[in-house]
Amino acid sequence: MGLVDMKISVLTVCRNSAATIRHTLESFFAQDHEDKELVVVDGASTDETLSIVRSYGDKHLQIVSEPDRGMYDALNKGLALCSGEAIGALNADDAFHDRSVLGKISVALADADIVHGHLDFVENHDSKRVVRRWRAEPRPRNGFRSGWMPAHPTFYVRRGVAEKVGSFDLALKVSSDYDWMLRAVELHGFRIATMDQVLVDMMVGGASTRSLRSHIGHNLEALRSRRRWLGSGLVDYALVAKPARKLGQFFGINSASTAKQSRHGVS
């Protein structure tokens, strides 16, 4: 099997996502890349989420539903179930930008260990009205120390990367995705490529819009991660630069910062 034909595992964690998950599922099944699987880890939903997921009955689908300790615990369960040569995550209220995304990721991973790309924040998946744009940048010389980071919903890695990086850290409540990407990019010398195209449409608003307290908590946990892995001090440049980069998303210029986080997935 050539690298371009690699099997890609997409991991979606959810709980009570009946209002949004159909768009996510349909965007996956519409992908023209045939060698794929969707691993849905449900946190014991009490609404119609499971019925919707099971209604697709597709050979490319794995489902597990049981109580968990939060989304990062669910992501760890999903990582253990993924069988593809490449792995990424898609939130249960987001969707692939078009049907060619997984195929393009497969091509990009032929010459890289990690790829990431652009992300559009949309009002909803019916209108697709863009309200913010995250435009991916190549890793700068100082990487995460400079305030840079990829958009997690566009972050795909070869299986060997996921095995080397290991589990999401459950001690981090709101930024374990940031910590996981930092370890993948900064600690092991993996080759990373930036894809100059929109990969994911992320829905904004509603329950998944974060508060100021959540933004502050995320940035403090991200600093904790940099202190642990990169030797940052009590305060570092990225503590200011990372939130500042988000401003560019509203003006259509290149920027990379933390996307929203929801119980339906990570970003």
Side-chain angles (χ1 to χ4, degrees), residues 80-178:
L81 293 171
C82 290
S83 63
E85 289 86 16
I87 299 171
L90 184 67
N91 298 341
D93 51 0
D94 301 330
F96 289 119
H97 184 67
D98 59 47
R99 65 192 304 268
S100 68
V101 169
L102 290 184
K104 291 174 179 176
I105 288 172
S106 179
V107 171
L109 282 170
D111 297 309
D113 303 304
I114 299 168
V115 298
H116 67 109
H118 306 327
L119 179 148
D120 280 349
F121 295 83
V122 299
E123 187 173 62
N124 57 66
H125 293 299
D126 294 316
S127 72
K128 292 293 187 182
R129 187 177 78 85
V130 178
V131 297
R132 280 168 61 189
R133 301 181 190 276
W134 179 325
R135 292 301 174 257
E137 298 173 339
R139 179 188 178 278
R141 183 172 61 88
N142 291 322
F144 278 71
R145 293 180 178 87
S146 71
W148 170 90
M149 66 172 287
H152 188 258
T154 75
F155 194 79
Y156 279 73
V157 303
R158 292 195 189 196
R159 168 170 291 279
V161 175
E163 292 173 347
K164 188 75 172 180
V165 175
S167 301
F168 287 85
D169 185 351
L170 300 189
L172 298 173
K173 303 304 180 184
V174 293
S175 64
S176 193
D177 51 328
Y178 174 92

Side-chain angles (χ1 to χ4, degrees), residues 11 13 41 66-79 165-180 183 221 224-225 228-229 261 263 266:
L11 173 56
V13 303
V41 181
E66 61 188 21
D68 56 47
R69 293 180 287 166
M71 61 184 169
Y72 297 125
D73 183 34
L75 281 168
N76 285 336
K77 292 178 182 180
L79 284 176
V165 175
S167 301
F168 287 85
D169 185 351
L170 300 189
L172 298 173
K173 303 304 180 184
V174 293
S175 64
S176 193
D177 51 328
Y178 174 92
D179 176 81
W180 200 93
R183 286 183 278 146
E221 279 198 354
R224 175 179 166 186
S225 178
R228 177 179 182 183
W229 301 111
Q261 176 180 9
R263 179 56 184 81
V266 298

